[in-house]
Amino acid sequence: MSYQIIIGKQDFLESLRGKDASFLLSCSVSNTCEIPNLSQAGIPGKLHLTPTLDAEYLTLKEVRSLDNIATTPKGIPTPALITRAVHELKPFKAIEILNLGFEIEPQIEHFEIHNFDLKPSGNIVNNASINAFEVFQKGVAFAQEYQAKGEYTILAETIPTGTTTATATAMALGYNCENCFSSSYKNVPSSLKQEVLQKALAHINTSMDVFEKLSAVSDNMIIFNAGFILGLQASKHKLILAGGTQMASVLLVVNSILQTMGGELDTSKVALCTTKWIAQDNNSDIKAILEQLDFPINAYSADFDFSHSKSEVLKLYDQGEAKEGVGAGGALVYGLINGLDKNSVVQKVEQLLGL
Amino acid sequence: MSYQIIIGKQDFLESLRGKDASFLLSCSVSNTCEIPNLSQAGIPGKLHLTPTLDAEYLTLKEVRSLDNIATTPKGIPTPALITRAVHELKPFKAIEILNLGFEIEPQIEHFEIHNFDLKPSGNIVNNASINAFEVFQKGVAFAQEYQAKGEYTILAETIPTGTTTATATAMALGYNCENCFSSSYKNVPSSLKQEVLQKALAHINTSMDVFEKLSAVSDNMIIFNAGFILGLQASKHKLILAGGTQMASVLLVVNSILQTMGGELDTSKVALCTTKWIAQDNNSDIKAILEQLDFPINAYSADFDFSHSKSEVLKLYDQGEAKEGVGAGGALVYGLINGLDKNSVVQKVEQLLGL
């Protein structure tokens, strides 16, 4: 098998077999990442650089804004390596960067970088202070003018402490899934995360509308992509949300917006793809998140792990470190339904690591 | 070599090397399949389900309208396995289903299923009673509006007792090739087949025109695809007829229609690809059929067999059982001219069988 079904049926994904895809990387920074030890998605003290480095590495196989690729303190390399490995073996039709608020802009030429005049969003502990409706509208507008280079689109994300803002988003919107969200850590720093969430949710009250809530505790990636999904509904273009619980949170936002504004989501055009590490994670439950949606959705996980790798550091993924990001799960599914076998991807990742 | 030439030159096929293809599966039922023991293309008593199961398995790697894939009484699995194996290793750009009269519609979502308001055709023993000119015109019209997803198109078929209706078609049209037609059996039940053909041809007389003859003894697959081939001539799009003697019979029908209605076939846009099992079959002679055409045609067979397989049941193909169907030969040629090696296909088929 090249993938497993998390929820739904295989039909959506099978219909994409053999088709080529554009890859959109939504890059954003939430200043929540300034809180020490909340995320290991990058270099301590330099987490705000992670989206910049991921964008550079994915497109160029080189980091330019730092002297090495982003790894965790344990040395676990960014999942951008996995996405890059797939791109080398079965290239995406195009990679485009969505600038949803870089701290440092990536040094990339010749690739399309879409700018939306967005800055990193605030630390949710102090109120993220996002102009949420404007960010949402920018997502809708971008979708409406979007010219896909591939037959369908894979939408990925890189944003440090993104699972924390995703959890806060879901809780603020009233979903019952506090313990469903993933973390870049194997051993989640739950008391710290609890404290952050508690402080963030103190900014929320029941008289607020959806966008007011998002303004306080969400992030630009989530809000923009909720708009992008809805804006794309007018076309026939199919979209894969490549990510774990953060992308599930994007769908929760879509669900809440539809509850408020009316309308339906045609999910014959949207599905979610993530990694096996997310699908089988004992500390989170992406399926439970997706089951809270009012619409049916198809979600899949790539049948890929590093059990046959010679790299001990890569095997940490199988133990639950890092798990997902930079669209690794969606990229793996894309490769596997286009004829790549697992071993060739493992070998390519090892080669990228210089092994 | 990845293929052998049955007739013509390699130029046509070599020009397609490296290009991607759409795969069209024409699915049809002829109630001739109600005659016991005439075909082994499916489960006895449930042969009318074969096209449904083949369509489901090819697109979804799962049968939904029965609890297992179609095998012969000897346990030989449908050639859909071969086509699916190629699709996993070197995917077609799209798979589309042509509903030319299912008994049971396949349970498939997200794939394009073209409906032509056709019912299973009658048992040729009793007169198939097809509105042949209408079916033909539907094929022409579909070709004229056809938007190919790939750079060329592979047209395949699944219809139980299709070789019997193909033989009757050729004989009714006056071609001298009674013993040229293949069978899903290794040991052809020739006296039964003789009897069926004799009864069928009793409905034919020399005052009938081509379409009246087709109405009595042919099937929807043959008639529709003859129309499709002719309708596609207005475009530059190239077509591979993926099948054995049944697809050869489609060409005989095209030939007879051109004799009656005038016009020529530009065979720089059409060729036939089949399996080695058909090309080397001692009980049939596809080359002799193709030599009766007034136009030159290129035909090829895939250089593929199960001689290196560890599966005894797959090796029955090499002994002449099953032989072709669901475009297996065309799919193999597609894979082999796109870089697949024989062993990887054998292994993938074995894996699909759970070996």
Side-chain angles (χ1 to χ4, degrees):
Chain A
M1 257 315 247
S2 40
Y3 59 87
Q4 300 289 331
I5 298 168
I6 296 172
I7 190 169
K9 292 188 296 189
Q10 70 263 54
D11 305 43
F12 181 99
L13 202 52
E14 286 296 339
S15 76
L16 299 182
R17 197 178 280 275
K19 296 189 170 58
D20 55 48
S22 273
F23 190 95
L24 298 186
L25 183 61
S26 2
C27 303
S28 191
V29 173
S30 161
N31 287 330
T32 313
C33 78
E34 289 165 0
I35 302 167
N37 304 318
L38 187 59
S39 168
Q40 67 169 348
I43 300 148
K46 290 184 179 169
L47 257 63
H48 59 277
L49 265 180
T50 296
T52 307
L53 304 178
D54 281 339
E56 290 173 349
Y57 190 78
L58 177 60
T59 51
L60 306 172
K61 198 168 85 170
E62 175 177 290
V63 293
R64 291 181 172 171
S65 299
L66 200 72
D67 39 6
N68 212 334
I69 59 166
T71 61
T72 69
K74 289 181 191 162
I76 303 157
T78 166
L81 245 91
I82 298 171
T83 309
R84 174 73 198 188
V86 170
H87 183 51
E88 294 199 8
L89 294 168
K90 167 64 194 171
F92 305 112
K93 204 72 183 172
I95 297 177
E96 298 175 33
I97 304 296
L98 308 187
N99 177 352
L100 306 179
F102 280 113
E103 186 71 38
I104 307 286
E105 291 206 15
Q107 298 170 49
I108 298 169
E109 292 171 31
H110 293 287
F111 284 79
E112 210 159 345
I113 302 184
H114 301 275
N115 288 306
F116 300 98
D117 196 21
L118 294 173
K119 295 209 159 51
S121 55
N123 184 335
I124 59 171
V125 164
N126 309 321
N127 196 318
S129 304
I130 302 164
N131 189 335
F133 191 63
E134 189 185 296
V135 174
F136 172 77
Q137 282 183 311
K138 285 180 178 183
V140 173
F142 176 63
Q144 286 168 345
E145 70 193 23
Y146 175 58
Q147 300 284 334
K149 312 287 190 299
E151 291 170 279
Y152 65 100
T153 294
I154 297 171
L155 178 68
E157 56 69 34
T158 166
I159 169 172
T161 61
T163 57
T164 302
T165 46
T167 315
T169 301
M171 290 172 75
L173 296 176
Y175 294 100
N176 179 23
C177 48
E178 185 181 346
N179 298 315
C180 297
F181 281 81
S182 176
S183 160
S184 55
Y185 283 103
K186 176 187 173 194
N187 298 308
V188 191
S190 51
S191 63
L192 173 61
K193 198 165 181 172
Q194 279 304 113
E195 192 190 321
V196 168
L197 290 173
Q198 206 167 20
K199 286 182 183 167
L201 294 167
H203 300 289
I204 301 297
N205 65 62
T206 48
S207 68
M208 289 171 143
D209 70 18
V210 173
F211 289 104
E212 286 169 331
K213 289 174 180 171
L214 295 172
S215 296
V217 302
S218 195
D219 63 52
N220 291 340
M221 185 286 285
I222 290 176
I223 304 165
F224 181 93
N225 285 332
F228 184 73
I229 290 168
L230 286 166
L232 212 58
Q233 287 273 301
S235 78
K236 286 182 179 169
H237 196 70
K238 290 195 182 185
L239 181 68
I240 294 245
L241 303 174
T245 52
Q246 292 168 252
M247 282 297 176
S249 191
V250 173
L251 287 169
L252 293 179
V253 170
V254 167
N255 196 57
S256 292
I257 291 172
L258 290 173
Q259 283 171 347
T260 317
M261 299 171 86
E264 287 186 2
L265 192 73
D266 177 358
T267 50
S268 72
K269 293 182 275 191
V270 195
L272 183 148
C273 288
T274 187
T275 62
K276 187 177 179 177
W277 305 300
I278 291 290
Q280 300 186 354
D281 185 18
N282 289 326
N283 295 315
S284 68
D285 191 346
I286 192 168
K287 190 178 179 191
I289 303 173
L290 297 171
E291 282 171 343
Q292 301 201 40
L293 298 168
D294 295 329
F295 44 80
I297 189 91
N298 291 294
Y300 310 93
S301 63
D303 200 0
F304 178 89
D305 56 47
F306 287 114
S307 57
H308 291 93
S309 172
K310 57 189 177 191
S311 161
E312 290 308 315
V313 81
L314 288 175
K315 286 187 176 187
L316 292 175
Y317 269 93
D318 294 351
Q319 292 171 30
E321 304 283 2
K323 297 187 192 75
E324 171 63 288
V326 199
L332 284 167
V333 168
Y334 174 72
L336 295 170
I337 65 171
N338 280 292
L340 294 188
D341 67 28
K342 190 179 134 176
N343 286 340
S344 64
V345 180
V346 171
Q347 280 164 24
K348 180 57 79 176
V349 175
E350 289 172 348
Q351 187 193 321
L352 291 175
L353 274 176
L355 301 177
Chain B
M1 255 316 248
S2 39
Y3 60 87
Q4 301 289 330
I5 297 168
I6 295 172
I7 190 168
K9 292 187 298 188
Q10 71 265 45
D11 306 43
F12 181 99
L13 201 51
E14 287 297 335
S15 77
L16 299 182
R17 198 178 279 276
K19 295 190 172 61
D20 56 48
S22 272
F23 190 95
L24 298 186
L25 183 61
S26 2
C27 303
S28 193
V29 173
S30 161
N31 287 330
T32 313
C33 78
E34 289 166 0
I35 302 167
N37 304 320
L38 186 60
S39 168
Q40 68 168 348
I43 300 149
K46 290 185 179 169
L47 256 65
H48 59 279
L49 265 180
T50 297
T52 307
L53 304 178
D54 281 339
E56 290 173 349
Y57 190 79
L58 177 61
T59 52
L60 304 172
K61 199 166 86 170
E62 175 176 290
V63 293
R64 290 180 173 170
S65 298
L66 200 74
D67 39 5
N68 213 333
I69 58 167
T71 60
T72 69
K74 290 182 190 163
I76 304 159
T78 166
L81 246 90
I82 299 172
T83 309
R84 174 72 197 187
V86 170
H87 183 50
E88 293 200 8
L89 295 169
K90 166 64 194 171
F92 305 112
K93 204 69 185 171
I95 298 177
E96 297 175 34
I97 304 297
L98 308 189
N99 176 352
L100 306 179
F102 280 112
E103 187 71 37
I104 306 285
E105 290 206 16
Q107 297 170 50
I108 299 170
E109 292 170 31
H110 293 287
F111 284 79
E112 212 159 342
I113 301 183
H114 301 276
N115 288 305
F116 301 98
D117 197 21
L118 294 174
K119 295 208 160 52
S121 54
N123 183 337
I124 59 171
V125 165
N126 310 321
N127 196 321
S129 304
I130 302 165
N131 189 335
F133 190 62
E134 189 184 296
V135 175
F136 172 76
Q137 282 184 312
K138 285 180 178 183
V140 173
F142 176 64
Q144 285 168 346
E145 70 193 22
Y146 175 59
Q147 300 283 335
K149 312 284 190 300
E151 292 170 278
Y152 66 101
T153 293
I154 298 172
L155 178 69
E157 57 68 36
T158 166
I159 169 172
T161 59
T163 58
T164 301
T165 46
T167 314
T169 301
M171 291 172 74
L173 295 177
Y175 294 99
N176 178 24
C177 48
E178 186 180 345
N179 298 315
C180 296
F181 280 81
S182 176
S183 161
S184 55
Y185 283 103
K186 177 187 173 192
N187 298 310
V188 191
S190 50
S191 63
L192 173 61
K193 198 164 180 173
Q194 279 305 116
E195 191 189 324
V196 169
L197 290 172
Q198 205 166 20
K199 286 182 183 166
L201 294 167
H203 301 288
I204 302 296
N205 65 61
T206 48
S207 68
M208 288 171 144
D209 70 17
V210 173
F211 290 104
E212 285 169 332
K213 289 174 179 172
L214 294 173
S215 296
V217 302
S218 194
D219 63 52
N220 290 341
M221 186 287 287
I222 290 177
I223 304 166
F224 181 94
N225 286 333
F228 184 73
I229 291 169
L230 286 166
L232 212 57
Q233 288 273 301
S235 79
K236 288 181 178 171
H237 196 71
K238 291 194 181 185
L239 181 67
I240 294 242
L241 304 174
T245 52
Q246 292 168 255
M247 281 298 176
S249 189
V250 173
L251 286 169
L252 293 179
V253 170
V254 167
N255 195 59
S256 293
I257 290 172
L258 289 174
Q259 283 170 349
T260 317
M261 301 171 86
E264 286 186 2
L265 192 73
D266 176 359
T267 50
S268 72
K269 292 183 274 189
V270 196
L272 183 147
C273 287
T274 188
T275 61
K276 187 176 178 177
W277 305 301
I278 291 290
Q280 299 186 355
D281 185 18
N282 289 327
N283 295 316
S284 68
D285 190 347
I286 191 168
K287 191 178 177 187
I289 304 174
L290 296 172
E291 282 170 345
Q292 300 199 42
L293 298 168
D294 295 330
F295 43 81
I297 190 89
N298 291 294
Y300 311 93
S301 64
D303 198 0
F304 178 88
D305 56 49
F306 287 114
S307 57
H308 290 93
S309 172
K310 57 190 178 193
S311 161
E312 290 308 315
V313 81
L314 289 175
K315 285 187 179 190
L316 293 174
Y317 269 92
D318 294 350
Q319 291 170 31
E321 304 283 2
K323 297 187 192 76
E324 171 64 289
V326 199
L332 285 167
V333 168
Y334 174 70
L336 296 170
I337 65 170
N338 279 292
L340 294 188
D341 67 29
K342 190 177 135 180
N343 285 339
S344 64
V345 181
V346 171
Q347 280 166 26
K348 181 57 79 176
V349 175
E350 289 172 347
Q351 187 194 320
L352 291 175
L353 274 176
L355 303 177

